[in-house]
Amino acid sequence: MFKTILIANRGEIACRVAATARKLGIKTIAVYSDADAQSKHVVSCDVAVRIGPAAASDSYLKGEVILDVAKRYGAQAIHPGYGFLSENEGFALDCEKAGLTFVGPPAAAIAAMGSKAAAKSLMEKAGVPLVPGYHGEKQEPEFLRKQADAMGYPVLIKASAGGGGKGMRVVEASLDFEAALASCQRESRASFGDDRVLIERYLHKPRHIEIQVFADKHGQCIYLFERDCSIQRRHQKIIEEAPAPELSVDMRRAMGEAAVAAAQAVNYVGAGTVEFIVEPNGRFYFMEMNTRLQVEHPVTEMITGLDLVEWQLRVAAGEPLPLTQEQLQLTGHAIEARIYAENTEKGFLPSIGRLTHVEWPKHVEFTHGEVRLDAGVRDGDEISTYYDPMIAKLIVWGATREQARIRMQQALSQTQIVGVHTNVDFLSRVMDDEAFASADLDTGFIERRRSKLLPERMPASDFELACAIVAVVSEEYAERESDGSQVGHANDPWGMLDGWRLNGDYCRPFLWLDAESQRKASLLMAGQSKLLEIEGRRHEVSWQSQRRATGVHQLVLRWMGGQQAATVIKQDDRVDIFAQGQHVVLSMQDPLKQFASGETNAAGGLNAPMPGKIIALHVKAGQRVKKGDALIVMEAMKMEHVVFAPSEGVVKEVFFGLGEQVSEGLPLLELV
């Protein structure tokens, strides 16, 4: 076994590999960019070495720099994690030339499966079923459109070198093909340095089921059952589960054997995943093979009781597979939810910022348990534009799928994140959805269930507004009590904190911004009685408030004949309320303060929906546009977003140029 390994990655996967290495007594070397100098993975390893600026192209993708660090610090092997250099055959070859073990498959296997088109040709020869489509080298746009026309719409354009949903577009009609192809090629070039594509028939209501395979250097290859990854947005997985619901024993065996045949066709070694698209009638087709550990590997670990990273290290060190196919056992059901920094109300756009408050449910880290958390962030860490917006993975296990689903509901309801938009509430709605509960799954699930999963935002309830008011008052009282200079003598009526007034009762008005709406409320105190008046409705209220940290209050409100609990975080004018599995954000408004600061909204402006870079400009000043015309294309975290014209008009001015970086909310152009 290795004595020292270098982990050529960041975030939760770097922490995950370090956890297993620590268990095996292996010393670990972390590498980090300037953006990650204070990150969790840096302190999770024995040694940490800076490798460059924040951009991945200047740090985590610098293979020669990483190899130099590995040699200088005495590593025998490099674990690439997933993403970055994990599927780069050139890097795998360079490791071999440097006398270092690449913890992954041989470079030839990576190369064979790295091109989707070439991989499909190989799979065809190996007898693995394929989706009808064009997988050739000819890439002229007109030729590709004709292939799509002949196939019949809808079709799916996919980056040949791609993965993770990047460089992928569904095209519904021939007229839309050219624009979709150009966008797909741009995204593919940015993500993989290769703009070749393939085209496939888009299947109706398919499921995405993948098989975990493992092979050693002694000719053994097995499959460790399957995962259902059908719940996706933007062709990227957000919920995975194992085993796949309602998959028969015979179909599991057939898909497993096809996956093993795919791996053996390229003399595979190590952990890999063979992904299939499965039609409702049970026919399955090869999609691609990911020649690395998958993000969703924990669900396989939870149902098998195995440590796949340990298997990777043992196989890379030359050991045989620890178990045979017959010795593998499947127990219970596991579900993983990927928690992303993204705004689900704005089309899942990435969100950046500092995590000012993070609280997880009771859990174990990177190992087996009823609730497991794989996270690479902590309180105070920053989600930046440079890397993937995933914050953490929440994984649960249950004896049955229904038990696992309920545990995930509970775990998500106990998850609190402040500082960025997250998809936690959205994931909760998926878990609550009757179609998900009955395992009515397909890759179009989110679009099909859009009205329930992405409903119009409801106004904050009276209870949530009450929590916000109580938290503000409680925080002010706590600050005054901690500052003796403002409190006065205990018998001094002017220093009392009970709302006493010389003439009349205490009445304090509040003005809140609730999404786009203003909400009015007042707190009234008369003797021992406290009343909340919210838009004409009066509620008698009392409360208990435990201040856990500055601005963080655990509340119990008694009103309307009962009591309810909530956690409220107040930071400046922003108040986050976590109650009954919901997260509501309110902003306390001060009209005088806003007027003094000159805050205004520019009429006719189109603002950046996310922080990112301008990668395409389709208009210029003086140009007339129609409603729905594409104006600007932005890129953030290697995903594209098109800004469309909200109405007909003339472009008066464009404020940014091609290649410029733009912060969220800044006006991009003026339309008159």
Side-chain angles (χ1 to χ4, degrees), residues 473-540:
V473 172
S474 298
E475 181 64 15
E476 290 174 352
Y477 282 7
E479 289 176 354
R480 289 178 62 189
E481 286 179 326
S482 65
D483 186 353
S485 65
Q486 294 185 26
V487 175
H489 191 273
N491 295 321
D492 180 0
W494 309 112
M496 301 296 283
L497 302 174
D498 60 359
W500 178 85
R501 291 294 182 271
L502 179 63
N503 295 305
D505 297 330
Y506 174 100
C507 178
R508 179 173 175 182
F510 288 86
L511 182 63
W512 298 98
L513 187 63
D514 179 11
E516 302 299 320
S517 302
Q518 286 191 335
R519 308 285 301 280
K520 293 180 179 180
S522 297
L523 174 62
L524 299 91
M525 295 188 194
Q528 298 300 312
S529 178
K530 299 183 183 72
L531 293 173
L532 280 171
E533 185 174 287
I534 301 171
E535 296 168 342
R537 298 178 294 276
R538 283 198 172 191
H539 306 283
E540 189 168 351

Side-chain angles (χ1 to χ4, degrees), residues 427-445:
L427 295 170
S428 295
R429 288 193 290 272
V430 174
M431 288 298 117
D432 289 341
D433 187 80
E434 59 266 28
F436 182 84
S438 63
D440 180 12
L441 310 176
D442 67 273
T443 57
F445 179 89

Side-chain angles (χ1 to χ4, degrees), residues 50-260:
R50 178 190 178 274
I51 52 170
S57 57
D58 297 326
S59 51
Y60 296 107
L61 292 173
K62 286 284 189 182
E64 68 280 7
V65 175
I66 291 170
L67 287 170
D68 178 64
V69 171
K71 287 185 286 187
R72 282 194 289 122
Y73 285 85
Q76 291 93 45
I78 294 180
H79 195 303
Y82 41 71
F84 296 137
L85 296 169
S86 62
E87 294 180 280
N88 186 310
E89 67 268 24
F91 182 67
L93 277 173
D94 290 341
C95 287
E96 185 181 338
K97 291 174 186 175
L100 295 163
T101 299
F102 178 77
V103 183
I110 297 174
M113 289 297 187
S115 165
K116 285 188 175 70
K120 287 179 186 290
S121 297
L122 274 171
M123 294 304 100
E124 195 170 22
K125 292 175 185 174
V128 180
L130 300 178
V131 178
Y134 174 73
H135 313 123
E137 291 298 315
K138 198 169 180 181
Q139 295 287 301
E140 289 80 3
E142 182 62 21
F143 173 80
L144 292 174
R145 186 185 60 77
K146 287 180 179 177
Q147 296 298 309
D149 290 348
M151 220 174 289
Y153 293 89
V155 300
L156 186 64
I157 307 175
K158 299 170 71 174
S160 184
K166 296 182 174 70
M168 190 181 294
R169 299 290 185 276
V170 177
V171 185
E172 300 286 349
S174 183
L175 285 173
D176 302 325
F177 186 86
E178 187 177 337
L181 174 64
S183 178
C184 187
Q185 288 174 326
R186 276 196 308 271
E187 198 167 278
S188 182
R189 273 196 302 272
S191 298
F192 315 111
D194 186 338
D195 64 2
R196 290 174 299 160
V197 301
L198 54 85
I199 303 167
E200 293 178 343
R201 181 164 60 86
Y202 187 70
L203 303 178
H204 175 68
K205 207 180 178 185
R207 288 169 71 183
H208 181 143
I209 297 178
E210 60 189 31
I211 306 293
Q212 175 72 61
V213 295
F214 235 107
D216 62 21
K217 297 177 181 179
H218 307 280
Q220 300 177 81
C221 185
I222 62 174
Y223 63 91
L224 288 84
F225 311 116
E226 80 286 349
R227 301 182 285 256
D228 192 307
C229 306
S230 299
I231 310 297
Q232 305 175 3
R233 54 96 177 97
R234 291 186 165 189
H235 305 292
Q236 287 187 307
K237 307 162 189 172
I238 52 172
I239 291 175
E240 302 97 351
E241 55 183 307
E246 300 178 7
L247 193 71
S248 69
V249 172
D250 289 343
M251 190 168 174
R252 175 174 293 125
R253 184 184 304 111
M255 293 182 73
E257 289 173 354
V260 167

Side-chain angles (χ1 to χ4, degrees), residues 338-397:
R338 301 191 194 187
I339 297 176
Y340 280 102
E342 62 185 15
N343 190 335
T344 58
E345 294 178 5
K346 291 186 177 180
F348 300 96
L349 290 178
S351 176
I352 64 168
R354 191 167 298 281
L355 303 177
T356 54
H357 171 83
V358 179
E359 186 166 312
W360 303 110
K362 187 177 180 181
H363 64 274
V364 296
E365 288 189 322
F366 305 115
T367 190
H368 310 303
E370 291 181 356
V371 178
R372 165 178 167 175
L373 181 75
D374 285 16
V377 298
R378 305 153 299 178
D379 251 329
D381 284 352
E382 187 170 357
I383 306 298
S384 73
T385 58
Y386 296 106
Y387 313 117
D388 187 273
M390 189 169 71
I391 295 172
K393 302 180 307 195
L394 196 57
I395 310 106
V396 300
W397 179 91

Side-chain angles (χ1 to χ4, degrees), residues 289-304:
M289 182 175 186
N290 293 126
T291 54
R292 52 171 167 80
L293 196 67
Q294 291 277 87
V295 175
E296 57 271 23
H297 76 273
V299 291
T300 296
E301 294 184 322
M302 299 282 265
I303 63 166
T304 59

